[in-house]
Amino acid sequence: MDKKISLTGIIIVFAGCLLLAILQPLSEKLGSQGQWALIGIIFTLGLWIFKPFGLPFSAGGIFFAAYMLAIGIPVPTVFSGFTQSAIWTLVAALFFGFVLSKTGLGYRVALMILKLFKPSFVSLTIAWALIGIVLSLLTPSMTVRVAIMVPIAASCCELCNLKPGSKGNSLILLTAFAMALIPGEGWLTGSLTGPVLQGAYESVPELAGVLTSASYLKVCIIPLELTTILMLIGSLIFLRPKEKLAAEAGKAISEKKLDKMSREEIITAIILVASFILFFLGGKIGISSLVVCLGATFLLFVFGVIKPEEIGTGISWDLIIFLGMALALGNICQSTGIIDWLSSLLVPALKPFSVSPFLFVGVVTAVLFIWHLVDIASYFPTFVILPPILPAVSKAYGVDPLVFVPVLALAGCAFFMSYQNHWAIMSEKASGDRPWTAGHLLIYGLIYFVSAIISMLVCVPIFTSWGLL
């Protein structure tokens, strides 16, 4: 983020927190500790969103922990995020992504799929969708998928003689970026969203055991994959370029040679494929996804794919600290009465839209997409703060908390502008000297938004028949 915007943003947040501290406007509703906790949460979110002075996410998390302990929040509550299964699933998932990138297996899979298609804008969009799905089966890490797919897409644009800034260049890059994110959101281990939401749901007593691999797949697979299909169709309509791809591009891609699979690649492929199979069979044979993830990571160490010295450098521990503290947000908000206060505001606000399930689902989806313009801390604060409010929403309007899972998964990937999605920023950098234009990103982001709304509305009758609405 631009330094001036970053400093201006955190100064405004600090001024707002200072005003709350002086006026104490919510002391009657939240009590002293609740109000001080709210001030700390707002300032921490400001640190995560604006990252002043280049502070990493972990720095904001450490401040958050120190502040909450200082105002008297118990240690088990402050660090409750690190005791959830979600955080250890994420550690394993990040190591999956690390070995996929390190061994070159991800690059091999992507290029092998590309070689199956003759270059055309239609075939390339289909190819990127398949690559995104296959890679998401092997690793939940969107960061790794973007790191693998976008540079290949940039090389593809160069081979096809597409000019930087052209529709064709943007279409291929944006498709690779979007397919690295969205299809994998359809199942629990296809992205980091699944484990984070599972942890957030588990921290709420009324929602414990509700979000499992099976229930996540049930409510997410249709809307997420339908959104993917509609996106691809919409992009080919509204972003399809007039120019044709160079004939020699197909030959250049087909002749691009791959080295023989290494021992590490073979071991990684066997372990990750076996893990994916166990993810889906786990419920039937009594093995949790956490056991599968940790067991697979252990085997990667045993067979030397992950070296001892790579424990500290192979994955982002900055992200782990951030997520651990973010996952504690829900418990802190519950223990200080913030959740009850938020429920008293949110539940009545939803009443005008409760007259129709179509209206309710459509409005909630649109609002959560727009909210991502504000929550740019990977949307994880929303993932953990909203679930504790859902039992009250369910009691008032009969909307099962599972209905919100696909909405949150879809909204968490929103990208009207690059600043709100750090994977979009990463993709722009990874594309080198031929990034997409801001206008093309906005068009593609709007296509995604409309596709998501349509998909959720299509699912309303399905959810109703399941008794979720």
Side-chain angles (χ1 to χ4, degrees), residues 373-452:
L373 292 167
V374 177
D375 182 0
I376 60 173
S378 301
Y379 216 59
F380 289 136
T382 300
F383 286 159
V384 298
I385 290 176
L386 186 60
I389 302 172
L390 298 183
V393 176
S394 179
K395 185 177 180 180
Y397 307 118
V399 179
D400 194 288
L402 283 173
V403 172
F404 287 84
V405 175
V407 180
L408 287 167
L410 287 164
C413 292
F415 51 90
F416 298 114
M417 290 173 276
S418 60
Y419 84 89
Q420 69 181 127
N421 188 310
H422 75 269
W423 290 292
I425 298 172
M426 177 182 172
S427 296
E428 288 179 346
K429 293 179 180 178
S431 61
D433 59 353
R434 50 169 62 249
W436 55 63
T437 68
H440 291 158
L441 177 67
L442 178 59
I443 293 171
Y444 207 92
L446 290 171
I447 292 170
Y448 174 52
F449 173 64
V450 173
S451 299

Side-chain angles (χ1 to χ4, degrees), residues 357-373:
F358 287 98
L359 180 63
F360 186 92
V361 170
V363 169
V364 167
T365 303
V367 168
L368 286 175
F369 261 80
I370 294 169
W371 176 245
H372 202 166
L373 292 167

Side-chain angles (χ1 to χ4, degrees), residues 52-311:
F53 312 109
L55 290 175
F57 281 126
S58 56
I62 291 170
F63 164 81
F64 182 61
Y67 179 93
M68 291 301 161
L69 291 172
I71 65 171
I73 306 296
V75 171
T77 302
V78 173
F79 295 105
S80 59
F82 293 100
T83 64
Q84 295 181 26
S85 62
I87 196 71
W88 296 104
T89 301
L90 290 171
V91 170
L94 291 174
F95 272 118
F96 285 4
F98 169 67
V99 297
L100 196 67
S101 179
K102 174 193 171 184
T103 62
L105 180 61
Y107 178 82
R108 181 181 298 276
V109 169
L111 198 57
M112 285 174 64
I113 293 174
L114 266 182
K115 285 173 174 285
L116 297 175
F117 294 86
K118 282 187 176 182
S120 72
F121 290 111
V122 174
S123 66
L124 285 174
T125 56
I126 296 172
W128 289 123
L130 290 176
I131 293 170
I133 290 171
V134 172
L135 291 182
S136 64
L137 298 178
L138 299 176
T139 174
S141 175
M142 292 178 177
T143 301
V144 169
R145 298 202 293 264
V146 166
I148 291 171
M149 293 171 64
V150 174
I152 297 177
S155 297
C156 187
C157 291
E158 188 174 351
L159 289 171
C160 294
N161 292 327
L162 295 172
K163 295 179 180 179
S166 66
K167 272 189 177 182
N169 183 79
S170 292
L171 175 62
I172 291 177
L173 290 174
L174 284 166
T175 303
F177 151 70
M179 295 304 103
L181 269 60
I182 297 157
E185 296 273 14
W187 51 93
L188 185 71
T189 56
S191 72
L192 299 185
T193 299
V196 171
L197 281 177
Q198 187 179 43
Y201 271 58
E202 285 295 321
S203 68
V204 183
E206 299 95 325
L207 301 180
V210 168
L211 192 57
T212 63
S213 293
S215 63
Y216 187 99
L217 181 69
K218 180 180 179 180
V219 295
C220 286
I221 192 67
I222 296 175
L224 269 298
E225 305 319 314
L226 179 57
T227 297
T228 299
I229 294 170
L230 293 176
M231 274 184 69
L232 295 178
I233 295 172
S235 66
L236 289 170
I237 293 173
F238 295 102
L239 273 178
R240 187 166 186 173
K242 295 179 181 179
E243 68 263 40
K244 293 183 179 180
L245 297 180
E248 60 269 19
K251 186 178 179 182
I253 292 174
S254 63
E255 290 180 351
K256 206 168 182 64
K257 293 184 179 180
L258 288 165
D259 296 331
K260 185 180 178 181
M261 283 189 77
S262 66
R263 171 185 171 275
E264 289 187 342
E265 272 188 279
I266 295 171
I267 292 172
T268 299
I270 292 171
I271 291 175
L272 294 186
V273 170
S275 298
F276 173 72
I277 294 172
L278 288 173
F279 287 146
F280 281 90
L281 296 179
K284 297 179 181 179
I285 60 179
I287 300 178
S288 71
S289 57
L290 175 59
V291 172
V292 174
C293 285
L294 294 179
T297 306
F298 172 71
L299 290 176
L300 290 170
F301 278 105
V302 169
F303 287 103
V305 179
I306 304 175
K307 311 295 182 185
E309 61 271 18
E310 292 170 336
I311 295 175

Side-chain angles (χ1 to χ4, degrees), residues 10-49:
I10 197 63
I11 288 171
I12 292 173
V13 170
F14 177 76
C17 291
L18 186 62
L19 197 61
L20 283 174
I22 295 172
L23 299 179
Q24 298 282 309
L26 301 172
S27 56
E28 291 185 7
K29 295 181 179 180
L30 292 177
S32 177
Q33 188 183 60
Q35 184 156 248
W36 283 110
L38 180 63
I39 292 170
I41 290 170
I42 293 172
F43 187 71
T44 302
L45 290 176
L47 291 176
W48 284 341
I49 290 171

